[in-house]
Amino acid sequence: MTQTPSTYRRLLTAAALLGLSLSVAACTNTVNEPAATTPAPTAPTASSPTAAPTPSETTHANASDDPAKVELALEAAKIMTTWDPNKDFNRTEAEKRARKLMTDERAKQVIAPQRPATGEEWLNAAAKKATSKPSVKVMTEHHEKDSIAVKTTWQWVTKGGESWAGEESTTFFFTFTDKAPYKIRDYTAE
């Protein structure tokens, strides 16, 4: 059977499309594959007692699914936004207080600037001898697998009970060490 140039081009085009289809299918085939099965856990015997894993020892798909990581992120955000302008030279003093929750490497990176905090909100709080009282909340719309976002707002409160809202908010993004007890591996603030 003799092939004309037109037939030959059609065969080449069909072969190329088939190859492309197989390549795309190979890249997306994981969606259609059954999930890997893990053997069913065996019941502990009297000779091999095992304790149930704590929530922080179990594997979680997202950092925000691990209660221990969420608690750590909320605690750190609260510490980092609790200020006493009459004692704290600047806002970084609060971050320095949270170093105990960080890895040694990350804690060493918390360095206060040489200049004092200024700004109307800070100076007003200092004049009234107010302290910040933060409210912290996990940002559920943040979907980064390995991090937790925490939004903080605060009230300034005097010993006499006067209070007013802080003029800003801060959102922290925390990442963590892999094993419990967790430490903050890194964070940024916006």
Side-chain angles (χ1 to χ4, degrees):
M1 174 170 160
T2 56
Q3 295 182 1
T4 64
S6 172
T7 305
Y8 183 70
R9 271 187 250 133
R10 277 189 250 141
L11 284 173
L12 281 176
T13 303
L17 288 173
L18 178 60
L20 180 62
S21 297
L22 291 174
S23 296
V24 168
C27 291
T28 59
N29 195 27
T30 57
V31 172
N32 298 326
E33 290 179 7
T37 58
T38 55
T42 57
T45 62
S47 62
S48 63
T50 55
T54 62
S56 60
E57 293 173 334
T58 58
T59 304
H60 296 277
N62 292 316
S64 60
D65 293 336
D66 188 323
K69 289 180 180 177
V70 170
E71 183 180 332
L72 179 58
L74 292 171
E75 181 182 358
K78 190 172 187 176
I79 292 170
M80 293 174 160
T81 52
T82 300
W83 308 290
D84 182 341
N86 287 292
K87 293 180 182 174
D88 294 336
F89 186 66
N90 52 41
R91 292 180 184 220
T92 309
E93 294 297 322
E95 289 180 57
K96 288 168 57 178
R97 288 190 287 273
R99 288 191 284 200
K100 64 185 178 187
L101 305 175
M102 302 174 197
T103 62
D104 290 340
E105 297 80 25
R106 184 58 179 103
K108 289 176 186 173
Q109 296 174 22
V110 180
I111 300 169
Q114 296 297 316
R115 57 179 166 42
T118 58
E120 187 175 334
E121 180 178 4
W122 188 268
L123 297 174
N124 185 36
K128 294 183 177 189
K129 296 183 176 17
T131 305
S132 66
K133 299 293 182 200
S135 296
V136 295
K137 177 180 144 191
V138 172
M139 302 301 293
T140 56
E141 63 273 9
H142 175 72
H143 298 293
E144 293 292 323
K145 181 179 177 184
D146 298 326
S147 67
I148 295 177
V150 177
K151 183 174 184 175
T152 60
T153 56
W154 51 88
Q155 290 284 118
W156 292 101
V157 181
T158 66
K159 288 183 181 181
E162 179 186 358
S163 69
W164 64 96
E167 297 171 4
E168 304 171 19
S169 67
T170 300
T171 301
F172 292 97
F173 299 89
F174 296 102
T175 58
F176 308 89
T177 55
D178 295 328
K179 295 181 180 178
Y182 299 115
K183 292 280 190 174
I184 294 169
R185 176 179 293 144
D186 198 11
Y187 70 93
T188 58
E190 294 180 352

